[in-house]
Amino acid sequence: MSTTVAGAGAAGAAGIEGVAGTDAGAPGAEEFAGLVLAAGPHATAVTLAVARGGRSAVHCHGRTARDGGPCTPDTGYELGSVTKTFTALLLAELAARGEVAPDDPVQRHLPAGRRPPDVRRGGPIRLIHLATHTSGLPGLPPGLLASAVPSWNRNPYAGYDEQRFWAALARTTVRHPPGEVYWYSNYGVGLLGWLLAEAGGGPDYAGLLDERIGRPLGLATLSCSPDAPHLATGHHLGRPLPPWRIPALPGAGAVRAGGADLLRFLRAHLEPDGGPLGTALREVQRPRLRLPRSGDEICLVWNHRRAPDDRDLFFHSGGTRGFTAFVGFCPQTATAVAALTNTGPTVRSCFTQTAYDTFKRLARPEGETPGSG
């Protein structure tokens, strides 16, 4: 079963009538079949949410589980590392209010009694380092992988809690002087999430996310809870999985959302001056450094790629054990794409690459040939 919910302006289920089948005129309709195919036989649900100019659509295929209800624009998916784009926006939003500064050292916002990592060369780790993967921290906290092995194929991070995180932070020595080397770090962005919750008055990352981003942007399905309603069931190689739990690193990978709300989130980046969080939405799009051995740049978390015709492509992907997600937007063509499926990434899966190719194609200017851009 496939459903397309389409409309002018912001996409979403509210106030828009869903139509069974595929609306051939809706943005993304031509690309959706290829994305469903790329999700593979183990996926039961696929969503493609697209905005193009003034038109938008949320294409939904399948069911929330093999015996579940139909997939809808409000069906929630685990976003994995796409969570980091929300953490980046929180940093920019708190900075716009003067509650933090990107150059603040980590120590300034640690909860009472918590010790920072050991930095033996260079200056202190700053918030901007955490948001650009240049903190010198390793990819994961010490001890997490060892604790993850017994439940690797189901819920590997569930047993590593907040207390273990803070204990590990106090005994961490950074790999490189902060600000000098790019090294993708769930640890670093996870730490950023805790620091922002402390600076913003919490009570925790999930509460701050709802207060500062969810409610202002009207994102009803945005949640960090594994027990949130309307969630699809994740699958790994065809086996259904329990909800993803990542108590030590919520700012790096705990967020869930539906396709319609992700499109609202992305459209806010396309039109920062037309709604709330304007200063913060502009700030997350500012390139900070060029990635090694690449023409790409990193902004606050977001990857930035300049197309040959000077279009700006911002994108990020994510995955948990049972879900794969991709988001991207292009301001020049007012294009936004969110692609979601309820099966986890594997070595052979091509969902993320197909989603990026779909985004790149949809972000072309009107009339541009498929081979360009």
Side-chain angles (χ1 to χ4, degrees):
M1 172 171 45
S2 296
T3 301
T4 299
V5 176
I16 300 174
E17 184 178 356
V19 218
T22 301
D23 177 0
E30 294 182 10
E31 291 79 10
F32 189 45
L35 197 68
V36 171
L37 186 64
H42 302 309
T44 72
V46 182
T47 294
L48 174 63
V50 178
R52 183 70 167 83
R55 303 183 64 230
S56 56
V58 183
H59 307 277
C60 303
H61 171 80
R63 296 185 171 276
T64 58
R66 300 208 180 275
D67 58 352
C71 177
T72 76
D74 290 329
T75 294
Y77 293 79
E78 295 169 359
L79 303 185
S81 284
V82 170
T83 296
K84 295 178 176 67
T85 65
F86 289 88
T87 304
L89 187 56
L90 280 175
L91 170 60
E93 197 276 338
L94 267 66
R97 291 178 180 232
E99 296 171 88
V100 303
D103 285 335
D104 283 349
V106 162
Q107 294 92 307
R108 185 170 299 172
H109 302 293
L110 281 173
R114 305 301 185 187
R115 288 175 50 200
D118 182 12
V119 180
R120 297 183 179 177
R121 292 185 296 145
I125 299 174
R126 303 182 186 277
L127 301 186
I128 188 68
H129 298 149
L130 301 175
T132 56
H133 300 292
T134 58
S135 66
L137 292 171
L140 293 171
L144 191 150
L145 279 179
S147 73
V149 169
S151 56
W152 188 254
N153 288 324
R154 293 178 61 79
N155 221 328
Y157 297 169
Y160 196 91
D161 61 15
E162 179 183 351
Q163 292 305 313
R164 296 183 70 177
F165 173 86
W166 291 117
L169 187 72
R171 66 174 189 270
T172 297
T173 300
V174 299
R175 293 168 175 253
H176 310 283
E180 290 192 6
V181 176
Y182 174 86
W183 187 274
Y184 189 90
S185 177
N186 286 298
Y187 192 6
V189 183
L191 172 59
L192 179 61
W194 288 117
L195 300 178
L196 295 176
E198 180 73 12
D204 54 20
Y205 176 84
L208 187 70
L209 180 71
D210 180 59
E211 175 191 339
R212 302 297 183 93
I213 295 179
R215 278 182 268 169
L217 296 183
L219 309 182
T221 63
L222 186 69
S223 174
C224 291
S225 172
D227 303 315
H230 312 302
L231 294 178
T233 297
H235 293 79
H236 177 65
L237 300 177
R239 183 179 61 202
L241 297 179
W244 180 255
R245 296 179 186 274
I246 184 169
L249 302 166
V255 170
R256 283 96 166 147
D261 274 346
L262 275 179
L263 198 56
R264 290 188 181 97
F265 173 68
L266 295 171
R267 286 181 68 101
H269 290 74
L270 295 176
E271 304 161 356
D273 296 323
L277 308 178
T279 299
L281 288 162
R282 290 191 299 273
E283 192 65 13
V284 297
Q285 300 178 46
R286 186 160 64 86
R288 309 295 173 139
L289 60 95
R290 188 169 297 279
L291 296 177
R293 298 177 295 280
S294 170
D296 292 354
E297 297 172 305
I298 189 164
C299 306
L300 292 183
V301 167
W302 286 97
N303 299 298
H304 172 251
R305 183 169 295 166
R306 184 66 56 85
D309 61 359
D310 287 336
R311 280 175 296 123
D312 295 299
L313 304 179
F314 298 90
F315 58 95
H316 209 287
S317 62
T320 65
R321 217 59 183 136
F323 290 81
T324 309
F326 172 89
V327 292
F329 64 95
C330 174
Q332 287 88 347
T333 59
T335 301
V337 170
L340 307 159
T341 187
N342 67 335
T343 187
T346 65
V347 174
R348 296 185 177 182
S349 61
C350 62
F351 185 83
T352 299
Q353 183 62 52
T354 302
Y356 173 76
D357 292 341
T358 297
F359 164 55
K360 189 169 71 169
R361 177 179 174 183
L362 290 167
R364 295 195 314 264
E366 293 286 352
E368 186 175 293
T369 58
S372 58

PDB file of all heavy atoms in Angstrom, residues 208-233:
ATOM      1  N   LEU A 208      14.605  19.938  26.623  1.00  0.00           N
ATOM      2  CA  LEU A 208      15.097  21.134  25.938  1.00  0.00           C
ATOM      3  C   LEU A 208      14.736  21.090  24.456  1.00  0.00           C
ATOM      4  O   LEU A 208      14.340  22.104  23.864  1.00  0.00           O
ATOM      5  CB  LEU A 208      16.604  21.240  26.112  1.00  0.00           C
ATOM      6  CG  LEU A 208      17.246  22.529  25.584  1.00  0.00           C
ATOM      7  CD1 LEU A 208      16.861  23.714  26.458  1.00  0.00           C
ATOM      8  CD2 LEU A 208      18.771  22.388  25.525  1.00  0.00           C
ATOM      9  N   LEU A 209      14.854  19.918  23.843  1.00  0.00           N
ATOM     10  CA  LEU A 209      14.510  19.760  22.431  1.00  0.00           C
ATOM     11  C   LEU A 209      13.049  20.120  22.165  1.00  0.00           C
ATOM     12  O   LEU A 209      12.725  20.846  21.215  1.00  0.00           O
ATOM     13  CB  LEU A 209      14.786  18.317  22.005  1.00  0.00           C
ATOM     14  CG  LEU A 209      14.486  17.956  20.553  1.00  0.00           C
ATOM     15  CD1 LEU A 209      15.496  18.608  19.615  1.00  0.00           C
ATOM     16  CD2 LEU A 209      14.500  16.436  20.370  1.00  0.00           C
ATOM     17  N   ASP A 210      12.178  19.634  23.017  1.00  0.00           N
ATOM     18  CA  ASP A 210      10.754  19.938  22.842  1.00  0.00           C
ATOM     19  C   ASP A 210      10.478  21.424  23.048  1.00  0.00           C
ATOM     20  O   ASP A 210       9.755  22.048  22.267  1.00  0.00           O
ATOM     21  CB  ASP A 210       9.934  19.099  23.824  1.00  0.00           C
ATOM     22  CG  ASP A 210       8.442  19.377  23.700  1.00  0.00           C
ATOM     23  OD1 ASP A 210       7.895  19.177  22.597  1.00  0.00           O
ATOM     24  OD2 ASP A 210       7.818  19.791  24.699  1.00  0.00           O
ATOM     25  N   GLU A 211      11.083  22.003  24.087  1.00  0.00           N
ATOM     26  CA  GLU A 211      10.823  23.406  24.416  1.00  0.00           C
ATOM     27  C   GLU A 211      11.356  24.364  23.354  1.00  0.00           C
ATOM     28  O   GLU A 211      10.672  25.319  22.957  1.00  0.00           O
ATOM     29  CB  GLU A 211      11.469  23.738  25.763  1.00  0.00           C
ATOM     30  CG  GLU A 211      11.358  25.206  26.158  1.00  0.00           C
ATOM     31  CD  GLU A 211      12.228  25.542  27.355  1.00  0.00           C
ATOM     32  OE1 GLU A 211      12.596  24.624  28.119  1.00  0.00           O
ATOM     33  OE2 GLU A 211      12.561  26.734  27.517  1.00  0.00           O
ATOM     34  N   ARG A 212      12.576  24.113  22.858  1.00  0.00           N
ATOM     35  CA  ARG A 212      13.245  25.087  22.004  1.00  0.00           C
ATOM     36  C   ARG A 212      13.053  24.832  20.504  1.00  0.00           C
ATOM     37  O   ARG A 212      13.189  25.763  19.707  1.00  0.00           O
ATOM     38  CB  ARG A 212      14.740  25.112  22.321  1.00  0.00           C
ATOM     39  CG  ARG A 212      15.069  25.435  23.771  1.00  0.00           C
ATOM     40  CD  ARG A 212      14.606  26.831  24.180  1.00  0.00           C
ATOM     41  NE  ARG A 212      14.991  27.129  25.549  1.00  0.00           N
ATOM     42  CZ  ARG A 212      16.101  27.752  25.898  1.00  0.00           C
ATOM     43  NH1 ARG A 212      16.967  28.148  24.974  1.00  0.00           N
ATOM     44  NH2 ARG A 212      16.378  27.984  27.162  1.00  0.00           N
ATOM     45  N   ILE A 213      12.748  23.574  20.118  1.00  0.00           N
ATOM     46  CA  ILE A 213      12.598  23.271  18.689  1.00  0.00           C
ATOM     47  C   ILE A 213      11.230  22.661  18.380  1.00  0.00           C
ATOM     48  O   ILE A 213      10.531  23.111  17.478  1.00  0.00           O
ATOM     49  CB  ILE A 213      13.717  22.318  18.209  1.00  0.00           C
ATOM     50  CG1 ILE A 213      15.074  23.012  18.323  1.00  0.00           C
ATOM     51  CG2 ILE A 213      13.471  21.869  16.769  1.00  0.00           C
ATOM     52  CD1 ILE A 213      16.248  22.150  17.909  1.00  0.00           C
ATOM     53  N   GLY A 214      10.842  21.634  19.128  1.00  0.00           N
ATOM     54  CA  GLY A 214       9.586  20.945  18.828  1.00  0.00           C
ATOM     55  C   GLY A 214       8.377  21.839  18.854  1.00  0.00           C
ATOM     56  O   GLY A 214       7.617  21.914  17.887  1.00  0.00           O
ATOM     57  N   ARG A 215       8.188  22.564  19.950  1.00  0.00           N
ATOM     58  CA  ARG A 215       7.000  23.410  20.059  1.00  0.00           C
ATOM     59  C   ARG A 215       7.056  24.638  19.145  1.00  0.00           C
ATOM     60  O   ARG A 215       6.059  24.940  18.480  1.00  0.00           O
ATOM     61  CB  ARG A 215       6.800  23.813  21.517  1.00  0.00           C
ATOM     62  CG  ARG A 215       6.089  22.733  22.320  1.00  0.00           C
ATOM     63  CD  ARG A 215       5.863  23.161  23.749  1.00  0.00           C
ATOM     64  NE  ARG A 215       6.950  22.745  24.618  1.00  0.00           N
ATOM     65  CZ  ARG A 215       7.118  23.164  25.864  1.00  0.00           C
ATOM     66  NH1 ARG A 215       6.280  24.034  26.390  1.00  0.00           N
ATOM     67  NH2 ARG A 215       8.115  22.722  26.594  1.00  0.00           N
ATOM     68  N   PRO A 216       8.175  25.368  19.066  1.00  0.00           N
ATOM     69  CA  PRO A 216       8.204  26.519  18.156  1.00  0.00           C
ATOM     70  C   PRO A 216       7.941  26.155  16.695  1.00  0.00           C
ATOM     71  O   PRO A 216       7.312  26.924  15.968  1.00  0.00           O
ATOM     72  CB  PRO A 216       9.616  27.079  18.335  1.00  0.00           C
ATOM     73  CG  PRO A 216      10.012  26.676  19.716  1.00  0.00           C
ATOM     74  CD  PRO A 216       9.395  25.328  19.919  1.00  0.00           C
ATOM     75  N   LEU A 217       8.428  24.998  16.249  1.00  0.00           N
ATOM     76  CA  LEU A 217       8.242  24.606  14.847  1.00  0.00           C
ATOM     77  C   LEU A 217       7.008  23.729  14.637  1.00  0.00           C
ATOM     78  O   LEU A 217       6.713  23.347  13.509  1.00  0.00           O
ATOM     79  CB  LEU A 217       9.488  23.875  14.332  1.00  0.00           C
ATOM     80  CG  LEU A 217      10.786  24.702  14.279  1.00  0.00           C
ATOM     81  CD1 LEU A 217      11.923  23.865  13.686  1.00  0.00           C
ATOM     82  CD2 LEU A 217      10.590  25.987  13.481  1.00  0.00           C
ATOM     83  N   GLY A 218       6.286  23.401  15.707  1.00  0.00           N
ATOM     84  CA  GLY A 218       5.075  22.599  15.579  1.00  0.00           C
ATOM     85  C   GLY A 218       5.336  21.160  15.192  1.00  0.00           C
ATOM     86  O   GLY A 218       4.600  20.586  14.375  1.00  0.00           O
ATOM     87  N   LEU A 219       6.358  20.554  15.789  1.00  0.00           N
ATOM     88  CA  LEU A 219       6.754  19.185  15.433  1.00  0.00           C
ATOM     89  C   LEU A 219       6.151  18.213  16.437  1.00  0.00           C
ATOM     90  O   LEU A 219       6.776  17.830  17.428  1.00  0.00           O
ATOM     91  CB  LEU A 219       8.277  19.069  15.400  1.00  0.00           C
ATOM     92  CG  LEU A 219       9.019  20.126  14.571  1.00  0.00           C
ATOM     93  CD1 LEU A 219      10.515  19.863  14.586  1.00  0.00           C
ATOM     94  CD2 LEU A 219       8.490  20.160  13.138  1.00  0.00           C
ATOM     95  N   ALA A 220       4.926  17.777  16.183  1.00  0.00           N
ATOM     96  CA  ALA A 220       4.187  16.970  17.154  1.00  0.00           C
ATOM     97  C   ALA A 220       4.776  15.579  17.344  1.00  0.00           C
ATOM     98  O   ALA A 220       4.626  14.977  18.418  1.00  0.00           O
ATOM     99  CB  ALA A 220       2.725  16.860  16.724  1.00  0.00           C
ATOM    100  N   THR A 221       5.437  15.019  16.334  1.00  0.00           N
ATOM    101  CA  THR A 221       5.969  13.659  16.443  1.00  0.00           C
ATOM    102  C   THR A 221       7.419  13.632  16.914  1.00  0.00           C
ATOM    103  O   THR A 221       7.985  12.557  17.092  1.00  0.00           O
ATOM    104  CB  THR A 221       5.884  12.922  15.093  1.00  0.00           C
ATOM    105  OG1 THR A 221       6.709  13.602  14.125  1.00  0.00           O
ATOM    106  CG2 THR A 221       4.460  12.861  14.585  1.00  0.00           C
ATOM    107  N   LEU A 222       8.029  14.797  17.114  1.00  0.00           N
ATOM    108  CA  LEU A 222       9.428  14.848  17.547  1.00  0.00           C
ATOM    109  C   LEU A 222       9.532  14.328  18.974  1.00  0.00           C
ATOM    110  O   LEU A 222       8.842  14.797  19.876  1.00  0.00           O
ATOM    111  CB  LEU A 222       9.932  16.290  17.480  1.00  0.00           C
ATOM    112  CG  LEU A 222      11.420  16.514  17.761  1.00  0.00           C
ATOM    113  CD1 LEU A 222      12.259  15.942  16.628  1.00  0.00           C
ATOM    114  CD2 LEU A 222      11.717  18.000  17.935  1.00  0.00           C
ATOM    115  N   SER A 223      10.427  13.370  19.197  1.00  0.00           N
ATOM    116  CA  SER A 223      10.523  12.749  20.513  1.00  0.00           C
ATOM    117  C   SER A 223      11.853  12.029  20.654  1.00  0.00           C
ATOM    118  O   SER A 223      12.452  11.610  19.662  1.00  0.00           O
ATOM    119  CB  SER A 223       9.374  11.746  20.709  1.00  0.00           C
ATOM    120  OG  SER A 223       9.509  11.029  21.914  1.00  0.00           O
ATOM    121  N   CYS A 224      12.293  11.866  21.883  1.00  0.00           N
ATOM    122  CA  CYS A 224      13.441  11.004  22.194  1.00  0.00           C
ATOM    123  C   CYS A 224      12.987   9.712  22.866  1.00  0.00           C
ATOM    124  O   CYS A 224      13.827   8.890  23.224  1.00  0.00           O
ATOM    125  CB  CYS A 224      14.415  11.737  23.114  1.00  0.00           C
ATOM    126  SG  CYS A 224      15.283  13.109  22.341  1.00  0.00           S
ATOM    127  N   SER A 225      11.697   9.543  23.041  1.00  0.00           N
ATOM    128  CA  SER A 225      11.184   8.409  23.809  1.00  0.00           C
ATOM    129  C   SER A 225      11.014   7.162  22.945  1.00  0.00           C
ATOM    130  O   SER A 225      10.375   7.215  21.887  1.00  0.00           O
ATOM    131  CB  SER A 225       9.836   8.759  24.438  1.00  0.00           C
ATOM    132  OG  SER A 225       9.257   7.614  25.034  1.00  0.00           O
ATOM    133  N   PRO A 226      11.546   6.020  23.395  1.00  0.00           N
ATOM    134  CA  PRO A 226      11.300   4.767  22.668  1.00  0.00           C
ATOM    135  C   PRO A 226       9.856   4.303  22.791  1.00  0.00           C
ATOM    136  O   PRO A 226       9.441   3.375  22.091  1.00  0.00           O
ATOM    137  CB  PRO A 226      12.263   3.779  23.338  1.00  0.00           C
ATOM    138  CG  PRO A 226      12.526   4.351  24.683  1.00  0.00           C
ATOM    139  CD  PRO A 226      12.449   5.832  24.536  1.00  0.00           C
ATOM    140  N   ASP A 227       9.104   4.949  23.669  1.00  0.00           N
ATOM    141  CA  ASP A 227       7.700   4.583  23.860  1.00  0.00           C
ATOM    142  C   ASP A 227       6.744   5.597  23.237  1.00  0.00           C
ATOM    143  O   ASP A 227       5.546   5.576  23.535  1.00  0.00           O
ATOM    144  CB  ASP A 227       7.406   4.460  25.359  1.00  0.00           C
ATOM    145  CG  ASP A 227       8.310   3.442  26.042  1.00  0.00           C
ATOM    146  OD1 ASP A 227       8.487   2.340  25.484  1.00  0.00           O
ATOM    147  OD2 ASP A 227       8.856   3.754  27.117  1.00  0.00           O
ATOM    148  N   ALA A 228       7.270   6.477  22.390  1.00  0.00           N
ATOM    149  CA  ALA A 228       6.404   7.458  21.730  1.00  0.00           C
ATOM    150  C   ALA A 228       5.368   6.758  20.857  1.00  0.00           C
ATOM    151  O   ALA A 228       5.622   5.666  20.326  1.00  0.00           O
ATOM    152  CB  ALA A 228       7.247   8.405  20.885  1.00  0.00           C
ATOM    153  N   PRO A 229       4.179   7.337  20.686  1.00  0.00           N
ATOM    154  CA  PRO A 229       3.155   6.706  19.857  1.00  0.00           C
ATOM    155  C   PRO A 229       3.507   6.757  18.379  1.00  0.00           C
ATOM    156  O   PRO A 229       4.332   7.557  17.942  1.00  0.00           O
ATOM    157  CB  PRO A 229       1.902   7.538  20.143  1.00  0.00           C
ATOM    158  CG  PRO A 229       2.436   8.869  20.580  1.00  0.00           C
ATOM    159  CD  PRO A 229       3.721   8.594  21.304  1.00  0.00           C
ATOM    160  N   HIS A 230       2.877   5.873  17.615  1.00  0.00           N
ATOM    161  CA  HIS A 230       2.948   5.863  16.148  1.00  0.00           C
ATOM    162  C   HIS A 230       4.340   5.546  15.610  1.00  0.00           C
ATOM    163  O   HIS A 230       4.671   5.921  14.483  1.00  0.00           O
ATOM    164  CB  HIS A 230       2.476   7.215  15.559  1.00  0.00           C
ATOM    165  CG  HIS A 230       1.186   7.705  16.129  1.00  0.00           C
ATOM    166  ND1 HIS A 230       0.022   6.977  16.067  1.00  0.00           N
ATOM    167  CD2 HIS A 230       0.886   8.861  16.787  1.00  0.00           C
ATOM    168  CE1 HIS A 230      -0.945   7.651  16.652  1.00  0.00           C
ATOM    169  NE2 HIS A 230      -0.456   8.792  17.101  1.00  0.00           N
ATOM    170  N   LEU A 231       5.173   4.850  16.384  1.00  0.00           N
ATOM    171  CA  LEU A 231       6.497   4.497  15.890  1.00  0.00           C
ATOM    172  C   LEU A 231       6.440   3.220  15.054  1.00  0.00           C
ATOM    173  O   LEU A 231       5.747   2.255  15.398  1.00  0.00           O
ATOM    174  CB  LEU A 231       7.468   4.277  17.055  1.00  0.00           C
ATOM    175  CG  LEU A 231       7.825   5.477  17.921  1.00  0.00           C
ATOM    176  CD1 LEU A 231       8.757   5.045  19.036  1.00  0.00           C
ATOM    177  CD2 LEU A 231       8.470   6.575  17.088  1.00  0.00           C
ATOM    178  N   ALA A 232       7.191   3.219  13.965  1.00  0.00           N
ATOM    179  CA  ALA A 232       7.364   1.992  13.199  1.00  0.00           C
ATOM    180  C   ALA A 232       8.273   1.044  13.982  1.00  0.00           C
ATOM    181  O   ALA A 232       9.018   1.456  14.878  1.00  0.00           O
ATOM    182  CB  ALA A 232       7.967   2.302  11.835  1.00  0.00           C
ATOM    183  N   THR A 233       8.216  -0.230  13.644  1.00  0.00           N
ATOM    184  CA  THR A 233       9.104  -1.228  14.229  1.00  0.00           C
ATOM    185  C   THR A 233      10.343  -1.364  13.363  1.00  0.00           C
ATOM    186  O   THR A 233      10.239  -1.552  12.149  1.00  0.00           O
ATOM    187  CB  THR A 233       8.394  -2.594  14.333  1.00  0.00           C
ATOM    188  OG1 THR A 233       7.270  -2.465  15.210  1.00  0.00           O
ATOM    189  CG2 THR A 233       9.325  -3.665  14.871  1.00  0.00           C
TER     190      THR A 233
END
